[in-house]
Amino acid sequence: MVWPFTSASGKGGDDGKDKKVDDPPRPPVSWTDSLNGTDWQHYKDPRNWVPTLLVTTTVLASLQIYRSYLRRIPGAVHIQPNFFRKRSLFGRVTSVGDGDNFHLYHTPGGRMAGWGWLRRVPVKRAELKNKTIPIRIAGVDAPEGAHFGRPAQPFSTDALAWLSNYILGRRVRAKIYKRDQYDRVVATVFVRRFLFRRDVGLEMLKRGLATTYEAKSGAEFGGLERKYKAAESKAKAKKRGMWGGKPELFESPRDYKIRMNLEDSQPNNVKS
């Protein structure tokens, strides 16, 4: 009689269990013999490995393209350091804060990536919160508006109105250089106007709505300083915009900020 969990050919021991029959030991095989025993002919046929190589390469290349060109950047702190001076950002201007800065909603790939017909750019302030990139236009300095109890400079409202009319709600491309001390991205900004690509900073200088950026260090022009200064000199000679008043009464945005900082530093300074 064969008991449960036992084989018919096995012999039971004193405790009713079968004795384990050891398998004969395998002879050791050297590494060389193992390689020689591999059928390498299988790998010589391209049909066996080319499809796998193509799929792997395509996936890796697609991921790299997405990370570099199609991934949406929600804010300045998310821009990779190696992007500066090598990449540009394309997007829609959602707000203009002053005469030389605005907020950009990054739309990588533009219409070809579905923006405007498959993917929607938010318009409500609540939807845009923490999803836009603050941009500081490189190489120019617009008249200062009224901030923190300080009076506005002449032509500050003109510069703000012009910039808002020129770029607000439009698609622009920003050639980015660095982040400034206020976490804004300093960039040369281009916009399409009547089929022509315009340099926004340069257009402001031509109209006398900004000066070239004056700083002892850290000024960024993106290689356009000579061109910008020539446009500024031409607007000054033609007395356009902020250059139209008496020269002795002119105060540049930089001089204005220096004066305001000195007044704020006075111990007994009381603003009415």
Side-chain angles (χ1 to χ4, degrees):
M1 179 178 178
V2 179
W3 291 94
F5 310 108
T6 61
S7 62
S9 59
K11 295 181 180 180
D14 294 338
D15 55 357
K17 297 182 179 180
D18 294 340
K19 291 183 179 179
K20 184 178 179 180
V21 179
D22 294 334
D23 294 332
R26 295 180 179 180
V29 180
S30 67
W31 174 250
T32 304
D33 292 339
S34 177
L35 290 177
N36 292 334
T38 303
D39 182 13
W40 295 106
Q41 191 64 34
H42 172 81
Y43 298 98
K44 292 181 180 179
D45 188 352
R47 292 174 298 178
N48 293 326
W49 57 267
V50 168
T52 302
L53 178 63
L54 289 176
V55 170
T56 304
T57 303
T58 301
V59 170
L60 293 177
S62 300
L63 289 174
Q64 184 62 33
I65 292 173
Y66 171 78
R67 291 185 59 187
S68 300
Y69 301 102
L70 297 177
R71 182 179 61 175
R72 208 189 81 77
I73 300 174
V77 297
H78 298 278
I79 300 176
Q80 298 179 19
N82 61 342
F83 274 28
F84 291 109
R85 303 185 184 280
K86 296 181 181 179
R87 296 280 192 272
S88 61
L89 300 178
F90 185 77
R92 186 181 295 274
V93 178
T94 58
S95 66
V96 177
D98 211 335
D100 50 28
N101 64 80
F102 60 91
H103 278 256
L104 175 78
Y105 187 89
H106 185 216
T107 57
R111 291 186 179 276
M112 294 185 64
W115 291 104
W117 54 287
L118 286 178
R119 306 169 72 181
R120 184 180 66 90
V121 176
V123 293
K124 296 182 179 179
R125 181 175 296 182
E127 295 177 322
L128 290 168
K129 187 177 181 181
N130 299 325
K131 294 181 180 179
T132 59
I133 303 171
I135 301 291
R136 173 66 164 84
I137 302 176
V140 302
D141 204 2
E144 293 293 313
H147 296 300
F148 310 112
R150 296 178 175 181
Q153 272 192 283
F155 285 93
S156 61
T157 55
D158 300 77
L160 176 59
W162 181 88
L163 185 62
S164 299
N165 179 69
Y166 204 67
I167 66 173
L168 184 59
R170 295 182 180 273
R171 294 184 296 272
V172 301
R173 184 170 295 280
K175 186 178 180 182
I176 61 177
Y177 303 121
K178 64 179 182 179
R179 287 211 312 261
D180 67 8
Q181 67 270 33
Y182 305 109
D183 270 340
R184 300 174 301 184
V185 176
V186 180
T188 300
V189 181
F190 300 93
V191 63
R192 290 281 180 182
R193 299 286 296 188
F194 308 109
L195 301 180
F196 295 98
R197 192 176 81 154
R198 303 292 186 183
D199 180 337
V200 177
L202 181 62
E203 295 300 318
M204 294 191 72
L205 291 169
K206 289 179 178 179
R207 290 164 173 78
L209 296 175
T211 66
T212 53
Y213 193 82
E214 300 171 323
K216 293 181 179 180
S217 62
E220 183 61 66
F221 288 88
L224 299 170
E225 183 174 3
R226 181 177 298 179
K227 188 176 183 180
Y228 278 19
K229 287 189 177 296
E232 179 187 51
S233 298
K234 190 173 182 179
K236 187 176 181 179
K238 294 185 177 183
K239 296 186 179 298
R240 290 178 176 172
M242 61 195 301
W243 304 108
K246 296 181 179 180
E248 61 271 17
L249 299 179
F250 176 78
E251 184 178 41
S252 70
R254 175 174 170 79
D255 291 338
Y256 169 85
K257 285 178 276 193
I258 291 175
R259 179 169 63 85
M260 287 292 104
N261 289 334
L262 285 174
E263 290 183 7
D264 290 344
S265 65
Q266 298 299 322
N268 297 324
N269 180 39
V270 178
K271 294 183 179 180
S272 59

